[in-house]
Amino acid sequence: MSSTSIITVLDPGVLTTVQDEGRPGFAHLGVPRAGALDVPAAALANRIVGNGPSAAVLETVLGGLRLRSDTGVWIAVTGAPVPLSIDGRPRGVQVPEWVPAGAEVSLGTPDRGVRSYVAVAGGFAVPEVLGSRSTDTLSGVGPPPLVTGQELPVGASVGEIRAHDTPRGPAVGPLRLLPGPRRDWFADSALDVLCAGPYSVLAESNRVGLRLTGERLPRVRDGELASEGMVFGAIQVPPDGMPVVLLNDHPVTGGYPVIAVVEPGDLWQCAQLRPGEAVRFTHRR
């Protein structure tokens, strides 16, 4: 993908990374999947500016991101709703916005949610690593988090700008659970305890895992497992009895028992939960 523009990072905010659909299929090499945490939001941003689903976007945490392009470009901002301005003038989110050459794009702080996504027509054309442009914050594979002064190449625009592509998002609700492989390590009531909730999000949560606090999940077996493979969305339970939902940058193996696995279609909600917010689970009886 040849570069047609350069976007300069004026301020990366709290944390901004490049993400695409991730690099699944490399767990045997010890490489996590990475990729955008809020998949529907990233996909919408790409569609609005005419990109294919695999185009790389920017995932930014709690706003503060400032950018400047050397040429005119189309952008779209989705995910956590942030105040967006272009050269100091308020602009809209979930719609295409034209950025003139040399103009500054600024994202404020969202009043809800955590992660916003910035797509540019043509996609961010940073080098691929193992078939993906995604930043993996655990293993360091892919581009590192953005820093001030960094220059990001933009690929050639290939699709039509879609001014009205703002479909209703996926349903928000309790995270649906599938049975985990180590339910026998827990009391028969443990899954009901987990679903009775709610649990609260801890500040230590990140792209590796959503860490929760609430009622302790009772176990019937002591000790820990030998390390075994972990899947996206697995709910590990450390010795303190507090669940951890493994997200995109999770380690590919682990030694804590997995009581359940979150339905893949519900995991996007974990991207937008703030510390202190409530999380509920549900499972089929």
Side-chain angles (χ1 to χ4, degrees):
M1 182 183 290
S2 60
S3 174
T4 61
S5 304
I6 296 293
I7 291 181
T8 301
V9 179
L10 304 179
D11 187 335
V14 176
L15 174 67
T16 302
T17 58
V18 179
Q19 301 294 340
D20 56 19
E21 293 181 308
R23 50 179 68 85
F26 293 97
H28 63 295
L29 299 178
V31 178
R33 63 183 295 129
L37 286 188
D38 189 339
V39 172
L44 174 59
N46 270 326
R47 289 199 306 273
I48 290 173
V49 295
N51 293 339
S54 63
V57 300
L58 301 184
E59 178 183 277
T60 188
V61 173
L62 297 176
L65 176 66
R66 294 192 297 118
L67 306 168
R68 177 177 288 130
S69 177
D70 66 344
T71 66
V73 294
W74 285 100
I75 67 165
V77 178
T78 61
V82 293
L84 170 67
S85 66
I86 298 175
D87 262 359
R89 297 178 179 178
R91 298 294 179 90
V93 296
Q94 296 199 101
V95 294
E97 291 288 0
W98 176 251
V99 181
E104 179 178 320
V105 176
S106 179
L107 277 64
T109 302
D111 59 7
R112 66 184 187 278
V114 176
R115 293 173 174 86
S116 303
Y117 293 84
V118 180
V120 60
F124 291 94
V126 300
E128 292 186 356
V129 179
L130 295 177
S132 171
R133 295 182 167 90
S134 290
T135 300
D136 171 7
T137 61
L138 180 68
S139 67
V141 174
L146 302 191
V147 296
T148 300
Q150 184 173 350
E151 295 184 342
L152 301 171
V154 176
S157 180
V158 294
E160 181 181 354
I161 303 300
R162 302 176 66 174
H164 302 292
D165 188 351
T166 55
R168 185 176 63 185
V172 177
L175 302 180
R176 295 169 294 169
L177 299 180
L178 302 170
R182 299 298 177 183
R183 283 186 61 183
D184 59 327
W185 280 58
F186 299 88
D188 291 341
S189 63
L191 200 55
D192 289 333
V193 170
L194 180 62
C195 292
Y199 285 79
S200 295
V201 177
L202 292 174
E204 294 81 3
S205 299
N206 53 27
R207 286 183 50 86
V208 175
L210 188 73
R211 298 180 180 274
L212 306 174
T213 185
E215 187 170 350
R216 187 178 187 275
L217 298 178
R219 284 173 55 167
V220 295
R221 294 185 60 173
D222 296 324
E224 299 304 331
L225 294 159
S227 288
E228 57 185 4
M230 289 292 129
V231 298
F232 183 39
I235 300 180
Q236 277 193 327
V237 184
D240 64 4
M242 296 298 116
V244 179
V245 182
L246 299 185
L247 300 180
N248 298 48
D249 293 358
H250 73 84
V252 299
T253 61
Y256 298 138
V258 173
I259 188 172
V261 179
V262 177
E263 285 268 6
D266 291 350
L267 283 166
W268 70 270
Q269 297 182 59
C270 298
Q272 303 298 358
L273 290 166
R274 291 188 172 190
E277 289 189 328
V279 182
R280 288 191 177 273
F281 300 95
T282 185
H283 72 99
R284 294 178 182 174
R285 299 183 183 278

